[in-house]
Structures are given as C-alpha cells and as structure tokens.
Amino acid sequence: MTEELPITTSEWEVMRIIWTLGEATSTEVIQLLVKKRDWKASTVKTLIGRLMQKQMLTAKKEGHSNIYQCTISERVAMQREATRLFQNMCAMKNGEVLAQLVSEIQLSKTDIEKLQAVLADKIKDAPDEVACNCLPKEETRE
C-alpha cells in the first residue's frame, strides 16, 4: 500500500462538499465555495486537480461536465488524518490533547455518551502511565 498524501485544509473544503452531496460537478463545487470562502473559480479547479492527482477524487464525463466523486469515505479520511496527527506527537501527551479537543469542540449528547462508553471500556486495560515515544527506547534517560 502506498503512503497517502495528506489533504490540505483547502482540499478538505472541496472534499467536504463532495462528501455531503455524494457527487458534484466542478461548477457546483465552485458555486458553493465562492459563497463559503470567496475563492476564485481557478482556485477551486486547481484544488480539484490536486485531489485528482492524489487519487482522492474520480471523474466521470457526463455531457460537457465532469461529475466528481470521492474515492475515500469521509470517515476513513478523518480517521487517517487523526492518526497522522497523533503519530506526530509524544504518546505521553495524547490524553492531554484529546481532553483539550473534547473541551473545545461541540458534541451532541449521543457523542458524549459514546465517548464515555469507550473510555469506560478502555480504562479496564489502561496503563498507569503512557511511555514517551520520542526517543528510541535505548536512548531514554532514567
């Protein structure tokens, strides 16, 4: 499996629209992003082109238009992005960062109940302390 290229913040905007619509023409994406972000059509076309190069979008010709669809589900893309983020941080700080994120983002009661259930299950096997993963094990200082 090849390493997926990360999606930029601007590319996420395009992907979110296509995920929400299921499929879209470049004209539809442009019209929505011009309203949402005040971007030029050429900017949106460039972003669609980059996403095509990254194989995040496919296009099927319909008349004079291309209909774009995402090649990856929104859930999988979000999970990959979150994993990438946490792989770049010290493992000892993951809990702190998660707690901060949870305190700052809007969550539904159902979301909170799901988190509580996951945490209640996870605490059963959790270590007292998470080891630092910043240095090779043989290089850690006592």
Side-chain angles (χ1 to χ4, degrees):
M1 186 170 121
T2 59
E3 172 89 16
E4 288 87 15
L5 295 171
I7 303 171
T8 67
T9 303
S10 298
E11 291 166 351
W12 273 98
E13 292 284 347
V14 173
M15 294 293 287
R16 288 174 53 205
I17 285 173
I18 299 173
W19 280 316
T20 301
L21 296 176
E23 61 181 25
T25 64
S26 59
T27 302
E28 291 172 314
V29 176
I30 289 166
Q31 288 172 346
L32 292 167
L33 283 174
V34 164
K35 289 178 189 173
K36 187 176 179 184
R37 295 286 178 218
D38 195 30
W39 288 347
K40 291 183 174 17
S42 59
T43 301
V44 178
K45 288 179 183 178
T46 297
L47 293 170
I48 290 172
R50 287 181 190 163
L51 288 164
M52 291 287 294
Q53 287 177 334
K54 292 179 180 183
Q55 298 180 340
M56 301 301 288
L57 294 177
T58 59
K60 63 181 178 185
K61 197 77 167 159
E62 199 169 282
H64 295 294
S65 299
N66 282 326
I67 308 291
Y68 296 96
Q69 292 181 314
C70 299
T71 60
I72 184 174
S73 74
E74 186 174 17
R75 180 180 211 164
V76 168
M78 289 188 305
Q79 288 172 335
R80 285 182 183 169
E81 192 71 15
T83 298
R84 184 181 285 109
L85 171 67
F86 283 96
Q87 285 175 339
N88 290 322
M89 290 190 275
C90 177
M92 293 175 65
K93 306 289 192 300
N94 286 348
E96 183 181 321
V97 171
L98 277 172
Q100 184 66 34
L101 287 172
V102 168
S103 72
E104 291 178 2
I105 61 174
Q106 185 176 25
L107 297 168
S108 70
K109 289 181 181 183
T110 303
D111 293 332
I112 294 167
E113 289 167 354
K114 286 179 189 175
L115 283 169
Q116 288 173 326
V118 168
L119 291 172
D121 189 49
K122 196 153 182 78
I123 200 167
K124 297 173 191 171
D125 300 317
D128 290 330
E129 187 175 283
V130 174
C132 175
N133 61 343
C134 298
L135 301 173
K137 289 183 182 181
E138 60 274 5
E139 296 297 325
T140 57
R141 297 179 183 163
E142 296 295 321

